[in-house]
Amino acid sequence: MQRTSTESGESETPAPSGDFLLPTYADRPLTLVRGEGTAVWDQEGRRYLDFTGGIAVNLLGHAHPALRSALQDQAGKLIHCSNLFYNEPANAFARALVERIGPGGIFFCNSGAEANEALFKFARKFGSATGRYEIITANNSFHGRTLAGISATGQAKVKEGFGPLLPGFTHVPFNDMEAIRDALTPKTVAVHIEGIQGEGGIIPADPGYLLELRQWTRENEVLLLWDGVQCGQFRTGHFQSYTTLLENVPGSDGFLPDGLAMAKSLGAGFPLGAAWIHEDYAHVLGPGSHGCTYGGNPLACAVGLAVLREVESGGWCEHARHVGKRLLDGLGPLKENGRCEDVRGAGVMIGITVREDLPAVRHRLMEAGLLVVPSANQTIRLLPPINVQDREVEEALQILKEHLSR
Ligand SMILES: *Cc1c(COP(=O)(O)O)cnc(C)c1O
């Protein structure tokens, strides 16, 4: 970065640009400088409604007081102490997660890819006694950018140029039980799916598929692993999306996967990931089998606890369901009159399949003051914070109505 001197001898630094970042991400139209709730401001002081939520991360919006005080308080006590020792926030947060999911244990990490990695290693370790290692995943899925993550992911574009990939992943069409049955081999150890495919364009699992899959995996001694990184952590109006997807579905009581990956909204902006493993298998990853230096650091876990408390004490789950309903109702007419292809999702995780060029739509919405996330299959995602205000939802709807396929 070039520094210039003024006559008074003070140095002036030019506004930071992205010139020194590797070009792994294309096309960044804005530099954001600050946020408050659902609003963000760019370098020119322009306000936008942030319906990207940092890609399903900023569950409580920007600059939330509960997060700020959790960070400040814990930073003054203990930021990091390694896994050579226990720490109180991690112990408490692990317990809180188990209470919300089901009996089992937690492995802490920093991201979604790492949470999935923990599940893949769990599955391999579990299968090692019987020589099984194959994991079935879905076409159109997304499971992270590590080598295991892209090997598991059912989208060709993330794999190009990175071969040879990790062996042992089989991909089948999503929501297709017959395809799962056909993919079973003596080496199959697990099925790994998202409850609602996020990067794939907000594609929910069918309730019937989930129930059949749960029964079939049990019968075949195959693990059912759930990637809740994007669809979980309250985004659909319940802590995990299987509760939302299976609501009022007969025979779904007590539905639980055997392993669950969490990240994104879990830390609501602070890097935090976790894998939950059912108590039946909680012994599989024993001492020395897996680790993560930052995993379970007190600062991250204090934030995670603050997020749980704020969402639950604030009644925000109910609000998320109300917002989801309002967005689906409000966008329904656009589908009916052909101005978009489809609208679907739940809570603060909504997908709109558009008819035009995706980058053009996204740009037009941005110009109108609304930030959204593109995904596969011609879909834009609305991933606002769970505490988005009603008037902000109306403002977003107004912009969408005005600017989708005019
Ligand atoms: C974002 C995402 C991941 C990867 O999470 P990172 O934190 O980027 O590693 C994995 N699975 C799903 C479903 C995701 O949406």
Side-chain angles (χ1 to χ4, degrees):
M1 193 172 295
Q2 221 183 337
R3 293 176 80 83
T4 52
S5 290
T6 58
E7 293 204 332
S8 65
E10 286 165 27
S11 62
E12 261 176 30
T13 310
S17 69
D19 293 351
F20 296 95
L21 298 171
L22 287 176
T24 51
Y25 304 95
D27 165 38
R28 292 192 234 189
L30 299 174
T31 299
L32 299 179
V33 292
R34 112 188 139 79
E36 198 183 319
T38 311
V40 286
W41 285 265
D42 69 8
Q43 282 174 316
E44 271 75 57
R46 215 187 139 190
R47 170 188 174 271
Y48 299 86
L49 263 186
D50 183 6
F51 271 47
T52 70
I55 314 191
V57 169
N58 299 322
L59 190 70
L60 293 169
H62 298 281
H64 194 285
L67 260 68
R68 290 161 67 174
S69 69
L71 280 163
Q72 266 167 357
D73 292 352
Q74 190 57 43
K77 283 186 202 155
L78 191 65
I79 290 178
H80 176 84
C81 67
S82 88
N83 288 300
L84 296 171
F85 310 99
Y86 290 120
N87 72 74
E88 289 170 348
N91 293 350
F93 190 41
R95 178 186 176 146
L97 292 176
V98 165
E99 282 169 358
R100 280 156 188 77
I101 303 164
I106 300 293
F107 176 84
F108 284 122
C109 52
N110 314 289
S111 67
E114 287 174 294
N116 282 324
E117 183 79 18
L119 294 186
F120 300 147
K121 285 183 72 177
F122 154 54
R124 286 230 176 156
K125 194 96 168 82
F126 172 70
S128 64
T130 50
R132 298 189 295 156
Y133 59 87
E134 280 175 7
I135 299 173
I136 301 173
T137 68
N139 292 345
N140 199 43
S141 61
F142 181 81
H143 300 299
R145 296 289 197 151
T146 58
L147 272 172
I150 62 172
S151 303
T153 291
Q155 300 191 41
K157 66 178 185 204
V158 306
K159 311 185 194 223
E160 274 159 30
F162 294 111
L165 297 173
L166 201 65
F169 288 97
T170 311
H171 303 96
V172 299
F174 192 45
N175 277 329
D176 184 344
M177 201 53 222
E178 209 46 49
I180 297 257
R181 287 195 192 92
D182 289 347
L184 181 72
T185 78
K187 300 210 179 312
T188 306
V189 70
V191 174
H192 185 83
I193 57 160
E194 289 162 85
I196 301 173
Q197 292 185 331
E199 300 304 311
I202 315 290
I203 316 287
D206 297 334
Y209 173 70
L210 291 179
L211 295 185
E212 239 185 296
L213 185 58
R214 181 63 283 190
Q215 196 186 338
W216 179 91
T217 46
R218 282 225 170 86
E219 286 165 5
N220 290 281
E221 287 171 42
V222 166
L223 300 168
L224 177 57
L225 306 179
W226 189 279
D227 183 343
V229 170
Q230 186 160 158
C231 59
Q233 298 70 250
F234 301 116
R235 206 149 264 288
T236 63
H238 292 282
F239 185 54
Q240 291 302 322
S241 68
Y242 46 78
T243 309
T244 306
L245 294 165
L246 295 172
E247 206 167 18
N248 303 321
V249 175
S252 67
D253 277 3
F255 178 97
L256 265 184
D258 300 313
L260 169 64
M262 296 167 270
K264 292 204 165 104
S265 299
L266 191 64
F270 198 85
L272 175 56
W276 167 90
I277 292 176
H278 190 277
E279 67 173 348
D280 290 353
Y281 308 102
H283 60 280
V284 172
L285 291 177
S289 64
H290 196 35
C292 180
T293 299
Y294 286 134
N297 73 77
L299 191 59
C301 292
V303 172
L305 273 169
V307 174
L308 287 186
R309 281 197 199 111
E310 175 59 28
V311 170
E312 291 174 353
S313 68
W316 294 118
C317 272
E318 204 186 335
H319 182 68
R321 298 196 288 271
H322 151 79
V323 167
K325 192 171 177 310
R326 177 66 194 123
L327 286 171
L328 292 176
D329 287 351
L331 293 166
L334 293 188
K335 181 182 168 184
E336 276 147 38
N337 62 28
R339 286 173 58 207
C340 70
E341 196 69 42
D342 192 29
V343 183
R344 63 200 165 268
V348 284
M349 188 176 185
I350 301 293
I352 309 169
T353 309
V354 298
R355 294 177 167 244
E356 307 152 273
D357 181 44
L358 212 49
V361 177
R362 190 184 160 207
H363 187 80
R364 209 158 66 230
L365 293 173
M366 185 187 80
E367 291 288 302
L370 177 66
L371 306 181
V372 299
V373 193
S375 62
N377 300 318
Q378 280 289 104
T379 299
I380 55 174
R381 276 174 287 173
L382 308 180
L383 302 163
I386 200 167
N387 53 0
V388 58
Q389 296 175 28
D390 287 334
R391 62 169 175 78
E392 293 166 331
V393 172
E394 296 310 317
E395 190 183 338
L397 277 172
Q398 202 50 47
I399 294 172
L400 286 162
K401 280 178 192 161
E402 234 167 85
H403 292 275
L404 280 184
S405 295
R406 274 171 297 185

